[in-house]
């Protein structure tokens, strides 16, 4: 899961970022609303944490702009001012939840989990392609009813390919979905995950085709003989 943190206070931001990273999230941090808007033009995140107290354009205005621009990802706002008006306004402008600073990290993590659960339930909980079914709510992959074991990175790649199927998925966007800016994953590492997925999917009649200079596409093929899913008749 990739999060965007928008906070101008370096100390607060690094504390939150560290906590979220330790909890397994890929976190990208920007210090202003302007920078957040820039980044969101070209990159996708699973959720954003936006501080209300930002220079020039505040977090409420940023939230309003993002929603007006049609961005649907969950937004959690942070406010140092324990002002009811800010929280009410934030929720009215399209934020999904808020936290009043200072807060305890476990509470932020719990609220994030709840937001991400809700946003996943709102989109389709099960993705499918050919014999493959991905239950995103329970993080289970099955093909022909058989459980397929996927590591966390493999899961991310698989989910990304399935969301785009039958269209090809861009390798650049896939790289972005897998990591934050400061823990760059190399294109070669992607190849490793793709190769592992091929090994797990091909027996079920699904190929991961490389599209030169662009990325990958899922395709239906004949299942390998003698393996699960093959020769059903
Ligand atoms: Ca601030």
């Amino acid at each position: 899961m990739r999060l965007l943190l928008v906070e101008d206070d370096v100390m607060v931001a690094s504390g939150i970022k560290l906590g979220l990273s330790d909890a397994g999230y890929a976190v990208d941090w920007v210090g202003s609303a302007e920078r957040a808007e820039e980044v969101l033009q070209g990159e996708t995140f699973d959720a954003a944490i936006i501080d209300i107290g930002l220079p020039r354009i505040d977090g409420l205005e940023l939230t309003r702009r993002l929603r007006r621009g049609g961005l649907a990802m969950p937004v959690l706002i942070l406010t140092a001012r324990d002002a009811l008006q800010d929280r009410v306004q934030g929720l009215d402008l399209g934020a999904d939840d808020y936290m009043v600073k200072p807060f305890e990290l476990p509470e932020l993590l719990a609220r994030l989990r709840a937001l991400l659960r809700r946003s996943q339930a709102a989109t389709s909980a099960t993705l499918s392609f050919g014999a493959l079914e991905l239950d995103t709510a329970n993080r289970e992959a099955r093909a022909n009813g058989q459980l397929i074991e996927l590591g966390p990175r493999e899961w991310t790649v698989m989910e990304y390919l399935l969301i785009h199927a039958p269209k090809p998925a861009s390798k650049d966007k896939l790289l972005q979905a897998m990591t934050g800016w400061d823990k760059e994953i190399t294109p070669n590492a992607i190849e490793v995950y793709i190769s592992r997925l091929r090994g797990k999917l091909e027996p079920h009649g699904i190929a991961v085709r490389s599209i030169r200079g662009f990325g990958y596409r899922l395709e239906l093929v004949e299942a390998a003989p003698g393996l699960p899913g093959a020769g059903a008749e």
Side-chain angles (χ1 to χ4, degrees):
M1 289 282 171
R2 188 182 188 206
L3 307 176
L4 179 65
L5 172 63
V6 191
E7 162 66 272
D8 61 318
D9 185 315
V10 178
M11 291 290 283
V12 173
S14 47
I16 295 175
K17 188 176 173 181
L18 187 66
L20 293 174
S21 304
D22 283 350
Y25 294 101
V27 186
D28 291 324
W29 163 46
V30 294
S32 70
E34 293 92 327
R35 186 75 190 109
E37 286 188 299
E38 248 172 64
V39 161
L40 285 164
Q41 302 265 322
E43 307 195 28
T44 44
F45 296 85
D46 296 295
I49 300 168
I50 300 175
D51 185 37
I52 288 184
L54 297 171
R56 300 175 300 277
I57 301 168
D58 72 14
L60 292 174
E61 173 61 14
L62 174 63
T63 303
R64 192 184 65 81
R65 289 186 188 188
L66 298 182
R67 290 304 188 224
R68 185 177 274 184
L71 210 68
M73 73 174 164
V75 169
L76 186 148
I77 51 174
L78 304 177
T79 174
R81 299 164 278 178
D82 189 5
L84 176 68
Q85 192 49 40
D86 271 359
R87 306 200 296 266
V88 170
Q89 206 189 343
L91 295 172
D92 280 344
L93 288 172
D96 299 281
D97 202 355
Y98 64 84
M99 301 258 340
V100 177
K101 292 196 279 188
F103 50 81
E104 298 294 325
L105 190 67
E107 187 179 358
L108 175 64
L109 292 172
R111 285 181 183 272
L112 268 177
R113 282 195 299 272
L115 280 185
L116 292 165
R117 264 202 310 273
R118 269 182 265 156
S119 81
Q120 284 177 351
T123 57
S124 171
T126 302
L127 301 166
S128 62
F129 186 81
L132 178 68
E133 286 203 335
L134 223 59
D135 176 347
T136 58
N138 298 308
R139 287 182 86 78
E140 274 184 6
R142 287 176 191 278
N144 299 307
Q146 193 182 320
L147 201 63
I148 299 179
E149 299 283 347
L150 297 174
R153 298 282 206 194
E154 288 169 32
W155 176 276
T156 304
V157 176
M158 189 69 267
E159 190 177 26
Y160 198 82
L161 293 174
L162 263 169
I163 287 169
H164 289 80
K167 287 189 276 188
S170 136
K171 192 170 180 177
D172 285 348
K173 290 278 166 71
L174 183 54
L175 279 165
Q176 287 177 18
M178 291 181 72
T179 186
W181 298 315
D182 51 357
K183 274 183 275 175
E184 288 299 324
I185 189 165
T186 64
N188 284 347
I190 293 267
E191 297 287 347
V192 172
Y193 298 116
I194 291 287
S195 149
R196 284 188 204 157
L197 284 178
R198 284 184 172 131
K200 293 175 184 186
L201 296 179
E202 275 166 22
H204 299 284
I206 296 168
V208 186
R209 193 79 69 209
S210 296
I211 312 291
R212 205 174 177 76
F214 184 77
Y216 306 95
R217 178 170 65 207
L218 291 182
E219 286 181 11
L220 295 177
V221 292
E222 296 249 325
L227 286 165
E233 287 84 18

